[in-house]
Amino acid sequence: MERDEALKLENQICFAIYACAREITKLYHPVLKELGLTYTQYIAMLALWERDRVTVKELGERLYLDSGTLTPLLKKLESLGYVLRARDRSDERQLLIEVTEAGRALKEKAFDVPEKVFCRTGLPTGELVEIREKMTELIRSIHPAEQTPASPH
Amino acid sequence: MERDEALKLENQICFAIYACAREITKLYHPVLKELGLTYTQYIAMLALWERDRVTVKELGERLYLDSGTLTPLLKKLESLGYVLRARDRSDERQLLIEVTEAGRALKEKAFDVPEKVFCRTGLPTGELVEIREKMTELIRSIHPAEQTPASPH
DNA sequence: CTTGATTCAATTGTACACAATTTAATGGTT
DNA sequence: AACCATTAAATTGTGTACAATTGAATCAAG
């Protein structure tokens, strides 16, 4: 590629993904507002609805977020009544996150979020699945040290 | 799709893109550190190297960012000596952004940023181009009101 | 059983992101 | 000229993100 071409905005895959991520988040905003959640809070609840009683570290590996982001976010979710935060008795360094009854009730209201959002994109489902697979592949190739296959407890 | 499946994290295209965007940004961090820029500052400079003497509004449309993000960012770039901010004489509401000599000099140091970053992904170029095109397509379908084809001045 | 290294969450500091509001300048209407 | 709607950037307030550091708990020798 020519010298100047390499620095053009339209040729940056990073910018395409970065801009796309923010535009999609904006798409979620009005839908999630009805649930009283922000986008990141919603993503965290998705992870917790799937798998409960996990440590901050485990949740962070799942979401690619660190304690600097998760600690205030989980405190907020706790203040909203959707999760409980309690130290692990057998290892006081760890904090276990548990979804409350209200948190599980919220899931019922969340079931139609995905469809509400994606009827706004106007893209066929097949296209979206393909994009998701390519993104997942790209994350994997960036993040190779991903060999903690969530041991069944 | 089954009810629960629709809320699984691994099925969320939004999460795949969101996580990918953040991982890529982290990839840039050490490389951009040598230039003394953050990722968003770098993206803004890319846009300005291509097209100078634009208003905050024009730059924002290009980057999908608003004045709330751009005002402090551009003040920072000004304090670093890379841009000048000056009101448009013919319309004092507008602020014109101009790249300085030091800003243009910085471009010389930026030429090898893209390659430095993408030899870290380990993916073939063709794959990356395909992803970029799909992302651009997705942004367009989300953001249809994109009919301001940058009139030649 | 104590010392030193490691691990985990929390904290600190900086920099976005964006919705919503404010302020100032401009344009159009009467 | 006076008024009102519109426009552009700045400001305000909240919530991420993340690098780097801190502090407490645990683990691993010796």
Side-chain angles (χ1 to χ4, degrees), chain B residues 18 26 55-57 67 71 75 85 87 93 95:
Chain B
Y18 158 75
K26 287 179 200 168
T55 64
V56 172
K57 180 182 163 65
S67 66
T71 295
K75 282 181 178 173
R85 300 163 65 250
R87 291 283 162 182
R93 288 173 305 181
L95 190 73

Side-chain angles (χ1 to χ4, degrees), chain A residues 13 19 23 28 35 39 43 45-46 54 56 73 76 86 89 91 96 108-109 115-116 118 122 125 131 136 152:
Chain A
I13 183 177
E23 288 304 306
Y28 273 87
L35 302 202
Y39 178 73
I43 288 295
M45 289 307 296
L46 287 184
V54 292
V56 173
L73 186 141
K76 179 68 184 182
R89 287 280 181 77
D91 185 346
L96 290 176
E108 292 301 313
K109 293 172 69 180
E115 193 174 338
K116 272 189 188 169
F118 280 101
T125 311
I131 290 176
T136 305

Side-chain angles (χ1 to χ4, degrees), chain A residues 18 22 26 55-57 67 71 75 85 87 93:
Chain A
Y18 157 76
R22 286 185 292 110
K26 287 179 201 170
T55 65
V56 173
K57 180 183 163 66
S67 67
T71 295
K75 283 182 178 173
R85 299 163 65 250
R87 291 281 162 185
R93 288 172 306 181

Side-chain angles (χ1 to χ4, degrees), chain B residues 26-37:
Chain B
K26 287 179 200 168
L27 227 49
Y28 273 87
H29 189 263
V31 179
L32 292 179
K33 203 172 182 179
E34 297 172 33
L35 302 201
L37 292 181

